[in-house]
């Protein structure tokens, strides 16, 4: 099945402690059904100092379930994703506005 949410998409959180926050998807794990969204679902992780990094208490974005995310349309509202054929290519589009999401 084609991916409805991909890396780089602007999404809004639908449920959980960060409900209503928006951000861009940094990575997607389709097997686990999770995605990491920048600046959302932050947790403090204690890291040991190394040659490369100072260490200490560093904030880190943790994965969210894909079902709790919705793509943001041109109006800034959450929308569902549909697929249609344009020529010989399958493209994603926003169900509310009909705009093509893929550039």
């Amino acid at each position: 099945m084609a991916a409805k949410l991909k890396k780089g998409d602007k999404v809004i959180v639908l449920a959980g402690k960060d409900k209503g926050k928006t951000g861009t998807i940094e990575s997607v794990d389709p097997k686990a059904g999770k995605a990491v969204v920048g600046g959302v679902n932050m947790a403090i992780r204690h890291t040991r100092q190394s040659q490369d990094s100072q260490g200490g208490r560093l904030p880190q974005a943790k994965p969210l379930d894909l079902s709790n995310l919705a793509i943001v349309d041109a109006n800034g509202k959450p929308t569902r994703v549909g697929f249609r054929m344009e020529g010989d290519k399958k493209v994603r589009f926003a169900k509310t506005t009909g705009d093509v999401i893929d550039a």
Side-chain angles (χ1 to χ4, degrees), residues 42-91:
M42 300 299 284
I44 299 293
R45 290 290 167 243
H46 297 76
T47 56
R48 179 170 282 181
Q49 183 176 355
S50 66
Q51 279 186 320
D52 302 331
S53 66
Q54 177 65 31
R57 300 177 65 209
L58 302 175
Q60 182 182 19
K62 302 306 277 180
L64 287 164
D65 204 78
L66 289 175
S67 64
N68 294 333
L69 300 174
I71 204 153
V72 176
D73 64 2
N75 303 329
K77 303 263 173 135
T79 183
R80 290 178 299 182
V81 177
F83 294 94
R84 67 177 173 222
M85 296 298 288
E86 287 193 358
D88 58 343
K89 294 191 85 168
K90 185 178 186 182
V91 295

Side-chain angles (χ1 to χ4, degrees), residues 1-7 25-36 63-67 69:
M1 188 173 146
K4 294 189 180 217
L5 298 174
K6 296 181 179 180
K7 180 179 175 180
I25 295 180
E26 294 175 352
S27 67
V28 178
D29 183 7
K31 198 168 192 177
K34 295 189 179 278
V36 176
L64 287 164
D65 204 78
L66 289 175
S67 64
L69 300 174

